[in-house]
Amino acid sequence: MGPLISCDDLPVTTSPQPPHEPTDPSGHTGHGHASHRHAADSSHGHSHGHGPAAPVSKHLRKVIAAVLIPFAAAVFVGMAVLWPGGAPAHERTGVGFDRQTQQGKVVALAKVDCKSVNASQVPPTGDTSTPEGREAQAARTGECKKATVEVTSGPEQGRAFFEIVQPGAPRQLEKGQEVVVAYAPDAPRDLQYSVIDLNRKLPLALLAGIFAVAVVVVGRMRGLFALIALVVSFGVLTLFILPAILQGSNPLLVAVIGASAIMLIALYMCHGLTARTSVAVLGTLVSLLLIGLLGSVFIGRAFLSGNTDDNTGLIHGLYPDIDMSGLLLAGVIIGSLGVLDDVTVTQTSAVWELHQADPDMGPRALYRAAIRIGRDHIASVVNTLVLAYAGAALPLLLLFSIADSSMGTVANSELVAEEIVRTLVGSIGLVASVPVTTALAALVVSADRPAGAGGAGASGAAAGPARGGRGRRRRKR
């Protein structure tokens, strides 16, 4: 089962061994047994510093396939059974994101007196020390803008309406600016359209293009396959996970099946159909199961409802049958998957490279050497995950800081408790993935019996070519 699409075909970034003075794994030069082994490997074109990992034996590939093929079959059968066929239809509420929208463009902009257009919706109190008072005062005495907006999409393309922009409004309009407009069919004709956002498609598309070019230029073929895997991941998310949850399927079951499908497709597409990738898949799967178990326990014990803001409230209002706490747990699993992939692939690669550098290392020695790499990885990845969640919740943390709330009060609120549970459960899964994946990789690579080794272990397989290597070196002399 050789690699079909393997990123491992690219050279790894370890230093090549000198052709005449190879080094043993401890770093000393000489002409002992290790030197002859390295020379023999170079003559066979399997240098430790270049090229893909040596293929594993047919027996080991059968063992790995016996574990992963039923799992992959179960995942894709589950997707077929739960396939939603699109999001369910519902009647628009006109609230939040559940509004009909069209594209528009500001075609004219004129300055007008705010008082003349009744821009003030907050009665002036005379007290300008509060935000409401300052807003009312500015709306009453300031200079507003009257924007003429033309609808550029939909059945009423070309229709124009007016939008009043107050001086203190966070979103200011300019002539020629493209905007997003909301359409309320039940409102009076003059109030059916309103500007709700700016059109940011061009800068976002430009940024995405720069990202794609950077990934391909630096990563080359591996980067290209990573981009393809990213598109597939978003496809599974938007075509299966989200519609299936809206159709009423169990969010946890949908998240586990969808995350497993993303994991299988992304890892094998980027890293190749190899035993090394299969071990990373197994390590990721075990860690995801642990995250799901811990998340289920602590979301229940902490009485987290998953319904904490306007968006989740709107979802619950539109689809009351959705299990919101299950939706929270599904988000924890999916959010942890991307970082888990990175950790498990790195640890598996570390074990494989250590084994290639010294085939005589047993599983315990491989585990001890690779776990030292994993500890450094744990420290950086956990810090990254915590800071990522903290950055996403920064406005909320600022609100608590403004309110001068104690740390206990902040942590006890459901909004922050959700992020704490999400962060800690994901971090525990990440930490556990390092020893689990390292142990699996060490056992698999040490148990390998390459064909033609005559039943010997890895060291025996290496010793055979070494004798042939010495014969070739004498002929060269």
Side-chain angles (χ1 to χ4, degrees):
M1 190 189 300
L4 299 178
I5 303 176
S6 176
C7 298
D8 296 330
D9 291 337
L10 299 176
V12 294
T13 55
T14 53
S15 301
Q17 302 293 340
H20 299 296
E21 290 189 355
T23 59
D24 64 23
S26 62
H28 299 287
T29 59
H31 298 285
H33 178 71
S35 301
H36 293 301
R37 186 194 312 130
H38 282 281
D41 289 344
S42 299
S43 65
H44 276 85
H46 295 293
S47 169
H48 295 165
H50 295 280
V56 298
S57 64
K58 185 176 182 180
H59 170 72
L60 187 55
R61 284 182 290 180
K62 287 182 178 180
V63 172
I64 295 174
V67 175
L68 286 180
I69 289 178
F71 167 68
V75 167
F76 291 109
V77 167
M79 288 185 68
V81 171
L82 296 177
W83 192 262
H90 71 279
E91 187 176 350
R92 296 274 189 177
T93 62
V95 178
F97 288 103
D98 193 39
R99 290 181 282 188
Q100 298 183 41
T101 59
Q102 300 294 344
Q103 300 301 311
K105 184 177 182 179
V106 179
V107 295
L109 201 64
K111 295 181 179 181
V112 295
D113 182 58
C114 291
K115 190 175 181 179
S116 67
V117 292
N118 293 323
S120 176
Q121 297 178 357
V122 181
T125 61
D127 181 11
T128 59
S129 63
T130 64
E132 292 82 3
R134 288 192 295 270
E135 180 183 349
Q137 185 69 18
R140 183 182 181 189
T141 61
E143 190 177 67
C144 294
K145 295 179 181 179
K146 184 178 182 180
T148 303
V149 182
E150 181 181 315
V151 180
T152 58
S153 65
E156 294 190 302
Q157 183 176 351
R159 177 177 168 180
F161 66 95
F162 299 106
E163 182 85 8
I164 302 300
V165 184
Q166 298 183 16
R171 181 176 59 243
Q172 297 293 319
L173 300 180
E174 299 176 1
K175 185 177 179 180
Q177 195 168 39
E178 295 185 350
V179 295
V180 179
V181 299
Y183 175 60
D186 297 332
R189 181 170 177 81
D190 292 342
L191 301 177
Q192 285 182 333
Y193 284 96
S194 61
V195 176
I196 60 171
D197 211 341
L198 304 180
N199 191 328
R200 304 178 180 89
K201 292 181 179 178
L202 180 59
L204 292 179
L206 180 61
L207 182 60
I210 295 173
F211 164 73
V213 170
V215 169
V216 173
V217 168
V218 177
R220 299 185 181 179
M221 288 302 297
R222 181 174 298 190
L224 178 61
F225 287 129
L227 289 177
I228 297 173
L230 181 62
V231 172
V232 173
S233 299
F234 272 105
V236 173
L237 181 66
T238 57
L239 298 178
F240 172 68
I241 295 178
L242 300 181
I245 292 175
L246 292 178
Q247 291 282 10
S249 299
N250 184 283
L252 177 58
L253 180 62
V254 171
V256 170
I257 293 176
S260 299
I262 291 173
M263 173 186 67
L264 289 169
I265 295 171
L267 285 179
Y268 283 118
M269 182 173 289
C270 182
H271 301 284
L273 193 61
T274 63
R276 179 189 294 190
T277 309
S278 299
V279 173
V281 168
L282 289 173
T284 305
L285 175 62
V286 172
S287 302
L288 280 179
L289 292 176
L290 176 61
I291 289 173
L293 177 62
L294 288 175
S296 179
V297 170
F298 284 96
I299 286 175
R301 295 283 293 178
F303 305 104
L304 299 178
S305 66
N307 188 2
T308 53
D309 56 25
D310 293 340
N311 293 329
T312 54
L314 178 60
I315 293 171
H316 185 63
L318 293 174
Y319 301 96
D321 294 333
I322 292 180
D323 180 9
M324 299 304 294
S325 60
L327 186 62
L328 173 62
L329 180 55
V332 173
I333 292 174
I334 295 172
S336 303
L337 178 60
V339 188
L340 272 177
D341 289 351
D342 174 48
V343 173
T344 54
V345 168
T346 300
Q347 284 306 112
T348 306
S349 297
V351 172
W352 245 263
E353 294 300 327
L354 288 168
H355 178 70
Q356 282 187 282
D358 185 2
D360 292 327
M361 292 177 71
R364 287 190 177 183
L366 279 173
Y367 178 84
R368 286 195 298 267
I371 203 67
R372 288 194 290 270
I373 301 172
R375 291 189 186 109
D376 291 336
H377 207 181
I378 286 174
S380 60
V381 168
V382 168
N383 193 47
T384 299
L385 191 63
V386 171
L387 291 179
Y389 283 129
L394 195 58
L396 176 63
L397 297 178
L398 282 175
L399 287 178
F400 282 108
S401 179
I402 292 171
D404 198 21
S405 301
S406 65
M407 187 63 67
T409 302
V410 172
N412 189 67
S413 66
E414 186 170 359
L415 274 172
V416 177
E418 278 190 5
E419 299 304 323
I420 292 175
V421 171
R422 192 194 311 267
T423 302
L424 295 183
V425 167
S427 298
I428 291 171
L430 286 174
V431 171
S433 70
V434 172
V436 168
T437 307
T438 304
L440 284 173
L443 290 173
V444 168
V445 78
S446 299
D448 188 22
R449 296 295 183 268
S459 59
R467 289 191 295 270
R470 286 193 295 268
R472 282 189 292 274
R473 288 175 65 86
R474 284 196 295 269
R475 284 195 295 270
K476 288 179 182 177
R477 293 191 185 97

